[in-house]
Amino acid sequence: MTVSYATSYAAWPPGTDPDLLRRDVARAHEEFLSTGRSPRPLRDVVRDSWRRSLSRGVDPEADGPRSPGLGGAELREYRREHPMAAVLPVVRSLLVEPAQDSDQLVAIGDEHARLLWVEGTPGLAARAERIGFVEGAEWAEEAAGTNAPGTAVALGRPLQIYAGEHFIRPVHPWSCSAAPVRDPDTGAVIGVIDLTGGDHIAAPHALALVRATVAAAEAELRLLRLRGALPSAQAPATGTATARLEVLARDRALLVSPYGTVELSPRHSEIVFLLARHPRGLGADALAARLHEHESARVTMRAEMSRLRRLLDSQVLGSRPYRLLLPATTDADEVRALLSRGAHRRALARYPGALLPGSDAPAIVDAREELDWALRRALRERGDARLLLDWLDRPGNHDDVDLLQAALRALPRESPRRPVLRALLDRARL
């Protein structure tokens, strides 16, 4: 699927020179403020956000958010009661701890883009204080103009904001990547996770890292909710029926519910997996867009849903929008949650293979790559030789250059496995 830069939520299109892009967006910002026009090259997501910021009276010369922030005991109490507190260990494990020596900040915000926690390099944190990027500050668009956490919350999707794409001029030296976190039952945005720092934060891998962390956080919330450990007005009552979907190393997913166990067709496997990830449900067009690369196929999707409804119990699948009527979790969720808690050995043991490996649906490919990336990253950074060898011994993993190198670093010099791994690495590099 070809995505034009104008509509992209990523800051750098392929082949972009960051310095040239910085100059271009700085000129566009000057022209927009002086003439009201939004010239090319400027992404639609940025142009629309600038217009919203201007219409809401945000001062482009302000030195930070215009809304007063929370602090002291008020902030501590608010954080303690907020559901994002439940995923703080996940975010620290996946973003904060691995990047202690990196020049970046990790921020966790609420559903209004108010920053609840800001952690990272002390020197960078001190610089961020000058623009009001601190715990308790509100970074919603109406308070701080275009920025990644505020605009991600406004649009309900992941995005990056690079340098001069920020509406407030003093924020131009910074770049950020952010993604919203959704409630496992209602699908509503309940928070946001953000990476902030220099130009490198606008690179594609930074947004992938944030998205993977959000997926792990949402999986953790879902499991806590199903176990009754996370109270909510929308949480299912004790004893409410739940469903489990097995999608790892399977082209035909297995759906287990109180109404029976069903092995689904490949297409129905994709559909039920997406509905499990979107508890509020999806319409026919939304489902088709996630399953078809080139076009929406509403009629085909409705036919598929009719067949799926005949297959499943009426208490499992609902319509308008299409949704699962039972809280559902997946084996992929369990692996993410284990990774987020640092239980890497258990996560690898629970990971028999790729998520719906035969599917080429765009949303399934994204989910598969996110989980694979999160698992490989955890193994590489943990540096445990036994875990790395377990991964490399699995079919299809013999040419994993990054983890072959990690295994060679982890093994003692006298290990008999080193020559074999060296040969595999040499072959993989050809």
Side-chain angles (χ1 to χ4, degrees):
M1 180 171 58
T2 301
V3 180
S4 79
Y5 172 57
T7 60
S8 175
Y9 286 81
W12 292 355
T16 296
D17 179 340
D19 291 333
L20 179 60
L21 179 59
R22 177 181 286 275
R23 292 193 294 271
D24 286 345
V25 296
R27 284 194 294 267
H29 188 266
E30 291 294 340
E31 184 172 344
F32 178 81
L33 293 181
S34 60
T35 68
R37 294 194 298 270
S38 48
R40 300 280 180 179
L42 187 65
R43 294 185 291 154
D44 292 344
V45 64
V46 175
R47 177 183 296 106
D48 294 343
S49 180
W50 283 1
R51 289 170 177 165
R52 291 193 299 270
S53 302
L54 191 63
S55 69
R56 291 166 176 167
V58 178
D59 180 2
E61 305 299 334
D63 55 7
R66 62 182 179 182
S67 299
L70 295 179
E74 186 179 16
L75 174 60
R76 290 193 294 272
E77 181 179 359
Y78 181 68
R79 294 192 304 195
R80 186 169 56 250
E81 299 297 328
H82 199 278
M84 289 299 289
V87 302
L88 185 58
V90 173
V91 180
R92 283 176 172 159
S93 173
L94 296 180
L95 284 184
V96 179
E97 294 172 6
Q100 288 178 346
D101 297 327
S102 300
D103 204 21
Q104 63 188 35
L105 298 175
V106 178
I108 302 175
D110 68 5
E111 64 273 27
H112 308 296
R114 183 185 299 279
L115 306 184
L116 304 180
W117 291 271
V118 179
E119 301 183 1
T121 310
L124 197 64
R127 284 178 49 206
E129 289 182 13
R130 301 170 194 164
I131 58 169
F133 196 83
V134 294
E135 295 177 348
E138 184 180 339
W139 277 75
E141 281 190 340
E142 57 267 28
T146 306
N147 69 91
T151 305
V153 165
L155 300 181
R157 64 169 301 159
L159 54 78
Q160 295 176 306
I161 298 296
Y162 176 62
E165 292 180 331
H166 288 93
F167 187 74
I168 295 179
R169 204 186 306 272
V171 190
H172 286 188
W174 301 80
S175 294
C176 42
S177 295
V181 179
R182 295 184 179 276
D183 182 272
D185 293 328
T186 68
V189 172
I190 60 169
V192 64
I193 296 174
D194 169 80
L195 270 182
T196 288
D199 288 359
H200 64 290
I201 300 299
H205 73 271
L207 187 57
L209 176 57
V210 172
R211 292 179 64 183
T213 303
V214 166
E218 291 177 341
E220 179 74 358
L221 288 170
R222 187 175 295 115
L223 290 175
L224 289 172
R225 185 67 55 75
L226 290 173
R227 293 170 181 166
L230 183 66
S232 170
Q234 292 79 33
T238 302
T240 296
T242 61
R244 185 176 186 275
L245 187 68
E246 297 181 7
V247 293
L248 297 179
R250 305 180 64 99
D251 289 326
R252 301 172 66 90
L254 197 68
L255 179 64
V256 181
S257 79
Y259 308 103
T261 299
V262 181
E263 186 177 58
L264 303 169
S265 71
R267 178 57 82 192
H268 289 164
S269 299
E270 296 167 344
I271 292 170
V272 175
F273 174 75
L274 291 176
L275 295 181
R277 297 196 88 185
H278 295 83
R280 294 185 67 183
L282 295 167
D285 286 339
L287 268 173
R290 288 165 171 79
L291 295 174
H292 298 277
E293 192 165 20
H294 300 296
E295 59 180 334
S296 173
R298 180 185 295 185
V299 174
T300 301
M301 186 53 56
R302 286 178 174 169
E304 288 286 1
M305 296 307 295
S306 294
R307 287 190 283 269
L308 182 58
R309 191 179 294 109
R310 288 195 295 269
L311 179 66
L312 301 181
D313 190 277
S314 61
Q315 298 186 69
V316 175
L317 184 66
S319 59
R320 298 184 180 180
Y322 299 121
R323 65 197 186 282
L324 297 178
L325 301 178
L326 303 177
T329 188
T330 74
D331 49 357
D333 293 334
E334 294 168 1
V335 172
R336 291 192 193 96
L338 289 169
L339 288 175
S340 71
R341 295 199 292 270
H344 302 106
R345 195 174 304 281
R346 291 175 58 197
L348 187 58
R350 298 286 285 274
Y351 183 80
L355 189 159
L356 297 179
S359 173
D360 59 1
I364 303 301
V365 172
D366 284 348
R368 181 192 308 139
E369 291 179 349
E370 286 175 9
L371 181 58
D372 178 76
W373 183 89
L375 185 59
R376 292 176 65 254
R377 176 178 177 271
L379 295 177
R380 184 176 62 249
E381 294 180 350
R382 177 70 174 266
D384 184 306
R386 289 179 59 190
L387 290 179
L388 289 164
L389 291 175
D390 185 350
W391 174 265
L392 292 168
D393 286 341
R394 298 187 181 197
N397 291 348
H398 302 308
D399 58 352
D400 191 326
V401 172
D402 286 346
L403 294 194
L404 283 167
Q405 292 174 327
L408 284 169
R409 289 193 297 268
L411 284 171
R413 291 186 178 278
E414 65 275 12
S415 171
R417 291 293 302 269
R418 289 184 66 87
V420 176
L421 295 181
R422 175 62 64 186
L424 289 172
L425 181 59
D426 291 342
R427 187 175 67 181
R429 285 170 166 170
L430 292 179

